[in-house]
Amino acid sequence: MDKKNQTLLTVSIAIVIIVALAAIFMGSDDEKQQDQQLGQQQDQQQTQTQPQDQQEATQQQTSETTQINVAAAASLTEAFTDMEKEFEAENPGIDVVYNFGASGTLRTQIEGGAPVDVFASAAEDQMDMLATKGFVYNDTREDFVENSLVMIAPKGNTLGLTGMQDLTKTEVEKISIGNPDSVPAGKYAKEAITNAGLWDSVSGKMLMAENVKQALVYVERGEAEAGFVFSTDASSAENGSIEVITSVPVTTPITYPIAVVSSTQNQDDSQLFIDFVTGEKGKSILEQYGFSIPQTG
């Protein structure tokens, strides 16, 4: 083979080697790209699967939790809210949902078919009405706390009020009470004012509230010169917003009953809540908020 042909052969072999190496490198890059694409697809699948797994776990947890709806007098707001944490800690499978309001309004809602499992009233008569119509299980009914009625004024008591007789003063333009037709505190207040022989002379000054908490707020804001609330509500007022003028005598004891509503689908869990409220821990919390525990036996 002459020198020229040998050179051509060498060049040809070199070209073949270069092409082969290039093919190898290109194939390696393709494999890397495929691996990257496969990895991305797996990541996406994982990302899509995780929320689904979390959702299934949440649904499973929800299905294992029973919700009980408790309709309770507005004056129980602070104590029952505090009690919820303790109760649910002892009963992790039960979720307590509250509806606080005027006892008369809550009674009407129960009569109308509202989904309520437990009713806690600030007056016996509202529970009596439900019991008469078969809306509660009488054997679950218990009187669990007592309260008292007080007359209040905005902080400073600039009018110098000392008792109910001062409600007739011209300077007293508005007197805040809960609507006697639906709010137990308002009903007790009207009875007390009537028994004092003052209702006819001051009834035109009444600023009717939807519940006892609203009656308190009217005095806190200075929208009424005087008001009537439960002593526990006065204790829950904003610091420096009101003054308690005097305790108000009532002819009917202010006793709170609680019972399981007969339309409940969760009677056992509802009874567990009542047992907690009337048990030692429940009593302790209620006393912390100023309620008295009825003496039995």
Side-chain angles (χ1 to χ4, degrees):
M1 180 180 298
D2 58 19
K3 187 175 182 180
K4 181 179 179 181
N5 289 334
Q6 186 177 6
T7 302
L8 289 173
L9 179 60
T10 302
V11 171
S12 298
I13 293 172
I15 291 172
V16 171
I17 293 172
I18 291 171
V19 171
L21 290 171
I24 292 172
F25 284 122
M26 289 178 64
S28 176
D29 289 342
D30 289 341
E31 289 177 359
K32 287 181 181 179
Q33 290 178 356
Q34 290 176 357
D35 290 342
Q36 289 175 351
Q37 290 175 353
L38 180 61
Q40 290 174 352
Q41 290 175 354
Q42 290 174 343
D43 289 342
Q44 288 176 353
Q45 289 175 353
Q46 267 189 336
T47 302
Q48 292 172 353
T49 304
Q50 285 175 355
Q52 184 176 355
D53 292 342
Q54 291 172 356
Q55 184 177 7
E56 290 175 355
T58 301
Q59 289 174 347
Q60 182 178 3
Q61 184 179 4
T62 302
S63 64
E64 295 173 353
T65 302
T66 301
Q67 175 177 307
I68 59 171
N69 299 313
V70 177
S75 51
L76 291 166
T77 300
E78 292 81 12
F80 267 26
T81 300
D82 196 2
M83 203 178 294
E84 177 184 2
K85 303 169 188 175
E86 296 266 1
F87 174 76
E88 290 182 351
E90 288 189 9
N91 301 274
I94 303 176
D95 177 30
V96 178
V97 177
Y98 290 120
N99 176 24
F100 295 107
S103 297
T105 301
L106 298 175
R107 171 187 58 79
T108 302
Q109 292 173 357
I110 293 171
E111 291 173 338
V116 178
D117 299 294
V118 175
F119 178 45
S121 173
E124 297 285 0
D125 58 354
Q126 302 296 337
M127 188 70 79
D128 291 341
M129 293 179 197
L130 291 178
T132 301
K133 299 174 184 178
F135 282 102
V136 295
Y137 289 118
N138 281 322
D139 58 350
T140 68
R141 178 173 175 173
E142 290 190 55
D143 294 338
F144 66 104
V145 287
E146 294 175 345
N147 215 334
S148 58
L149 190 69
V150 294
M151 176 179 159
I152 61 174
K155 187 65 177 179
N157 188 20
T158 55
L159 298 182
L161 306 180
T162 59
M164 286 192 291
Q165 70 280 0
D166 292 327
L167 298 176
T168 58
K169 288 184 176 181
T170 1
E171 296 87 350
V172 177
E173 297 179 357
K174 294 292 181 184
I175 303 167
S176 173
I177 69 169
N179 187 333
D181 294 333
S182 58
V183 183
K187 177 176 176 287
Y188 292 122
K190 181 179 178 180
E191 289 177 356
I193 297 170
T194 301
N195 291 338
L198 300 171
W199 181 257
D200 290 340
S201 57
V202 300
S203 59
K205 300 180 179 185
M206 295 299 157
L207 179 58
M208 299 295 185
E210 293 182 1
N211 56 62
V212 68
K213 293 297 186 186
Q214 189 178 64
L216 173 65
V217 168
Y218 284 149
V219 179
E220 286 180 321
R221 293 178 179 174
E223 297 175 27
E225 288 75 32
F228 291 82
V229 298
F230 290 134
S231 60
T232 53
D233 297 300
S235 299
S236 71
E238 292 185 15
N239 289 334
S241 62
I242 66 161
E243 287 188 17
V244 174
I245 303 304
T246 185
S247 295
V248 178
V250 293
T251 55
T252 306
I254 303 174
T255 307
Y256 289 48
I258 189 171
V260 176
V261 178
S262 57
S263 61
T264 181
Q265 299 298 311
N266 306 298
Q267 185 172 355
D268 291 342
D269 290 334
S270 298
Q271 185 62 53
L272 282 176
F273 179 77
I274 291 180
D275 291 344
F276 184 90
V277 172
T278 58
E280 291 307 312
K281 286 188 178 179
K283 289 177 181 178
S284 176
I285 293 171
L286 289 162
E287 287 178 323
Q288 289 174 25
Y289 285 92
F291 290 96
S292 300
I293 306 301
Q295 298 299 316
T296 57

